[in-house]
Amino acid sequence: MSTATSLNPAVRPPSSRGRVRRSAGRTRAPLLARLARGIVLTAVAVVMIVPLYTMVINAFKPQKEIIENPLLITPQSFTPEFLWAAITSSKFNVIAAYGVTLLFVVLVNVCCILLSAPVAYVIARGRSKWHMGLLLLFVSGLFIPGQVTLIPVVFVLRVLGLINTIPGFILFETAATLPVTIFLFSAYLRSVPRDIDEAAALDGAGRIRAFWTCIFPIMRPVVATIVVLNSIGVWNDFVSPQIILGPSSGIYTVTTGVYAAVGEFSTDYTQVFPTLLLAIAPALVFFVLMQKHIIGGLAAGATKG
């Protein structure tokens, strides 16, 4: 009887059949979770890719084709003349805009790292509640939208004589990047062993020298992450340069240059789409090439040490 029971599933004991059902239920649950996750990720990807795809293909099509078939492109309708016209346009000097925006990106990254790295080091190595309070003070800046601070910033910069100037814009952008930079730097530095500080002190190095010569080189993964995030943010920013620099300054970034070029002719899609493509292409290529550094830098602080 025991042999027949073990060989025939139909005559298994009730407890055995219950275990089989529970095991099947546990197997179906991860499958359903993976299916739901795949559907959500696919929907998000479609929402993000379709506008990008539409902009890219319509940058090489005439006006009639853009209106009639915005999601299709054929060899007959493909032409690079509109993209070349945008590059040589007198309303949007793309080379000058690239140079100005790249200068802002470099200056903001340098100022941000020079200011935030020592502050994060002091916070990470501090043991008192004041250090945690200082960190919370900086992190609280993440919850304040940048647009809310623009009006007070304009008044302050006007009093200081820095409105419509490059130094005023650099100061504002640097201050806007400090909260997230200090947060990530301090989180990473907490995972760096204190033995390095002690070894540098035994060799006669002060705290400043120990940080820049021994600790800062170890921070390359998180520094790369910050550079990528800040660069994308400064490159794509429109409101801040439009208000702080203003058209009267004659200084145009990529985004404000696009606005000046297509704002008056917004119905001319053969001008709008190529100009937009020129504006986002460098940032898109930079992000694709550097995305591994974002993931690596964010994960390094959680796994190092």
Side-chain angles (χ1 to χ4, degrees), residues 56-221:
V56 171
I57 66 170
N58 287 326
F60 301 95
K61 294 163 58 176
Q63 179 91 351
K64 182 179 179 181
E65 289 292 330
I66 294 174
I67 296 175
E68 294 179 354
N69 300 301
L71 297 178
L72 298 176
I73 187 169
T74 61
Q76 294 78 14
S77 62
F78 179 88
T79 174
E81 64 175 290
F82 302 111
L83 186 63
W84 178 251
I87 294 175
T88 58
S89 173
S90 59
K91 292 182 175 295
F92 177 50
N93 190 336
V94 63
I95 304 300
Y98 282 171
V100 170
T101 311
L102 185 61
L103 175 65
F104 290 162
V105 167
V106 172
L107 291 177
V108 170
N109 276 308
V110 171
C111 295
C112 175
I113 292 173
L114 289 178
L115 290 174
S116 59
V119 174
Y121 177 67
V122 172
I123 293 174
R125 290 297 187 257
R127 300 179 183 272
S128 68
K129 61 181 181 179
W130 301 109
H131 294 91
M132 181 58 66
L134 183 62
L135 176 62
L136 294 177
L137 177 64
F138 281 107
V139 172
S140 63
L142 295 173
F143 304 98
I144 303 176
Q147 294 79 3
V148 174
T149 62
L150 273 176
I151 295 179
V153 165
V154 168
F155 279 100
V156 172
L157 292 179
R158 182 175 290 118
V159 171
L160 297 176
L162 295 175
I163 195 69
N164 295 336
T165 64
I166 292 178
F169 177 71
I170 297 299
L171 287 175
F172 173 78
E173 288 287 356
T174 301
T177 59
L178 287 179
V180 66
T181 304
I182 292 176
F183 175 72
L184 292 179
F185 277 0
S186 60
Y188 183 87
L189 287 169
R190 290 181 189 276
S191 66
V192 176
R194 296 175 182 266
D195 297 344
I196 300 177
D197 306 63
E198 298 171 359
L202 291 175
D203 289 339
R207 296 195 68 182
I208 297 178
R209 182 183 175 187
F211 171 72
W212 290 112
T213 59
C214 300
I215 303 297
F216 187 74
I218 304 176
M219 299 171 56
R220 280 182 295 180

Side-chain angles (χ1 to χ4, degrees), residues 211-275:
F211 171 72
W212 290 112
T213 59
C214 300
I215 303 297
F216 187 74
I218 304 176
M219 299 171 56
R220 280 182 295 180
V222 71
V223 168
T225 300
I226 288 299
V227 168
V228 174
L229 295 178
N230 289 347
S231 299
I232 298 297
V234 174
W235 187 278
N236 292 333
D237 193 6
F238 169 74
V239 177
S240 302
Q242 181 70 10
I243 294 179
I244 295 177
L245 293 176
S248 60
S249 67
I251 303 172
Y252 290 97
T253 63
V254 169
T255 53
T256 57
V258 169
Y259 178 75
V262 306
E264 186 179 353
F265 304 99
S266 57
T267 56
D268 186 0
Y269 296 121
T270 61
Q271 185 179 16
V272 172
F273 286 112
T275 306

Side-chain angles (χ1 to χ4, degrees), residues 35 46 132 177 285 297:
L35 181 61
V46 169
M132 181 58 66
T177 59
V285 172

